[in-house]
Amino acid sequence: VIQLLGKGSEGHVLKCQYKKTQEFVAIKRIEIDSTEKANMTLNEAYRLLSLSNDGHPNIVPYKRVFLHKYPAAHTMFVCLVME
């Protein structure tokens, strides 16, 4: 993580650097409080991913989606990686 770019009702946007490629990306991190909600959010994120790959003019291109868990805090985040 390089820096916090913004906060909103859905979560935080972070500027990050992928260590393997040195590529800079933005990651939208959405906090999830249950496995059921995480599955629903991941399904919606995969739909957005497919739309962004189709070049939809109103959707920021997404590179990938992943689930990040903090077991000690019982917290999960759905993370959307953008250019």
Side-chain angles (χ1 to χ4, degrees):
V1 175
I2 305 291
Q3 75 183 83
L4 175 67
L5 295 176
K7 296 179 185 180
S9 61
E10 294 292 320
H12 299 85
V13 178
L14 309 164
K15 180 180 179 181
C16 301
Q17 187 173 24
Y18 187 53
K19 290 182 181 181
K20 290 182 181 179
T21 64
Q22 302 302 310
E23 175 185 24
F24 289 100
V25 295
I27 296 180
K28 182 168 186 172
R29 190 176 75 165
I30 304 165
E31 188 171 349
I32 304 297
D33 56 5
S34 71
T35 303
E36 181 179 313
K37 189 172 179 183
N39 289 335
M40 188 170 54
T41 304
L42 280 171
N43 285 335
E44 291 171 9
Y46 283 120
R47 283 191 212 120
L48 281 175
L49 185 63
S50 67
L51 283 175
S52 73
N53 289 337
D54 289 340
H56 194 282
N58 296 327
I59 298 178
V60 174
Y62 290 100
K63 298 181 120 268
R64 57 189 152 278
V65 178
F66 64 92
L67 185 64
H68 189 200
K69 296 181 183 182
Y70 287 110
H74 303 290
T75 303
M76 294 181 283
F77 296 94
V78 171
C79 299
L80 308 169
V81 181
M82 301 167 268
E83 296 178 350

